[in-house]
Amino acid sequence: VVETIVPDPEAEKLLARFTKTEIFPYTLDSKKIEQLTKGKELSGEEVKLLSKKLQEKGPSYDAMYTLESFYKIDSIKSHKQYDDYVASLDIGQMKESRCFVLSKISLTDLDYVLFWMNDYSTYEACPYGWGKVVFATSYHKGNIGETIVFAEHSGGADAPVSGETKVKGTLNPDGTIALNKLDENDQGEGEVEINEGNFEIALSKGFFTYTKEENKKPRKRKSKNQLN
């Protein structure tokens, strides 16, 4: 049986926006995220196409929440109401959320991984939240496949409580992906609780399949202000 897949013209148009090409093995961590050069800005409709098959498990389990905030702000901007929206913001509410093209990597002549970023921040007050989330979207035979969170650097604070999340991703030439997720939570009591997980994923024909999930036993360290 010959696999018949009809290319999606919108997906092909979107692929053309990803002009920068990465080489294997491609690794992205919280430090490199802060140094990334953002490409062209993505519209709400383009992000909906890229994320239409977003996996909500592992490091991706709450990614849809941040994208919903992006869609809301993108819609407000399209109706020329952003200035009024910002003027009416209360503490803790999302102020800015934008998505950008980053790069792509070729697995075969028909298979790519597209990397793009959601960069967001809330109103500057306590509580405050921010994040840079890099998504990996599979592209198979002219169609957008599944999407996962590939790397992340995000955090938030509501004094004295604060937290930070770091996700490191590595994509290998055979389509396997290794992810490491680190959550650090400081309750303002002198100790930071650290939760760490490792994940292995196989990419094939537009689908990401988790082959290993390992959650380490929570550990603690002294908070930075206790080390001084």
Side-chain angles (χ1 to χ4, degrees):
V1 179
V2 178
E3 182 184 29
T4 303
I5 297 178
V6 179
D8 176 2
E10 292 302 315
E12 293 182 316
K13 192 186 301 181
L14 196 50
L15 174 66
R17 297 201 65 189
F18 289 77
T19 55
K20 182 183 177 184
T21 302
E22 306 292 352
I23 58 173
F24 292 109
Y26 180 56
T27 297
L28 199 55
D29 59 20
S30 59
K31 289 183 179 179
K32 288 182 180 178
I33 285 178
E34 299 298 338
Q35 300 164 0
L36 284 173
T37 301
K38 298 170 187 171
K40 295 175 182 176
E41 200 159 345
L42 290 162
S43 69
E45 289 306 310
E46 289 173 321
V47 171
K48 284 178 181 176
L49 178 57
L50 285 166
S51 63
K52 66 179 181 177
K53 296 179 182 177
L54 175 63
Q55 282 204 6
E56 296 184 69
K57 63 182 294 186
S60 309
Y61 80 94
D62 60 351
M64 185 55 76
Y65 171 76
T66 58
L67 289 182
E68 291 293 348
S69 297
F70 163 74
Y71 296 137
K72 177 182 176 180
I73 291 176
D74 182 72
S75 176
I76 290 170
K77 288 178 178 177
S78 70
H79 289 90
K80 311 295 184 186
Q81 296 172 343
Y82 184 66
D83 289 344
D84 292 339
Y85 169 75
V86 171
S88 69
L89 281 178
D90 199 355
I91 58 172
Q93 290 186 308
M94 193 68 74
K95 180 180 178 182
E96 185 63 278
S97 183
R98 301 164 75 190
C99 288
F100 300 91
V101 169
L102 291 177
S103 57
K104 68 184 176 187
I105 199 163
S106 174
L107 291 164
T108 70
D109 291 342
L110 300 171
D111 291 271
Y112 295 89
V113 177
L114 311 180
F115 297 101
W116 51 283
M117 175 195 284
N118 177 218
D119 188 353
Y120 66 88
S121 58
T122 65
Y123 183 82
E124 296 95 336
C126 249
Y128 177 68
W130 54 271
K132 290 183 173 72
V133 182
V134 175
F135 294 90
T137 295
S138 57
Y139 181 96
H140 176 62
K141 291 189 174 181
N143 287 266
I144 297 295
E146 292 185 329
T147 292
I148 60 169
V149 170
F150 183 75
E152 179 178 349
H153 190 203
S154 62
D158 189 3
V161 177
S162 64
E164 187 177 17
T165 295
K166 298 176 182 179
V167 177
K168 175 184 177 181
T170 299
L171 172 61
N172 298 302
D174 61 358
T176 58
I177 295 171
L179 300 179
N180 172 266
K181 182 177 183 180
L182 199 67
D183 282 313
E184 296 191 354
N185 296 295
D186 188 342
Q187 296 298 314
E189 298 170 351
E191 284 188 326
V192 177
E193 182 175 281
I194 302 170
N195 290 281
E196 185 175 2
N198 291 301
F199 308 86
E200 293 179 6
I201 300 170
L203 171 59
S204 178
K205 296 183 178 180
F207 294 95
F208 293 104
T209 303
Y210 279 77
T211 56
K212 181 181 178 181
E213 297 184 52
E214 174 199 19
N215 291 300
K216 294 186 177 182
K217 184 179 178 180
R219 61 187 191 273
K220 292 184 178 182
R221 64 167 173 79
K222 286 187 177 181
S223 60
K224 291 177 181 177
N225 56 9
Q226 292 293 313
L227 296 175
N228 296 330

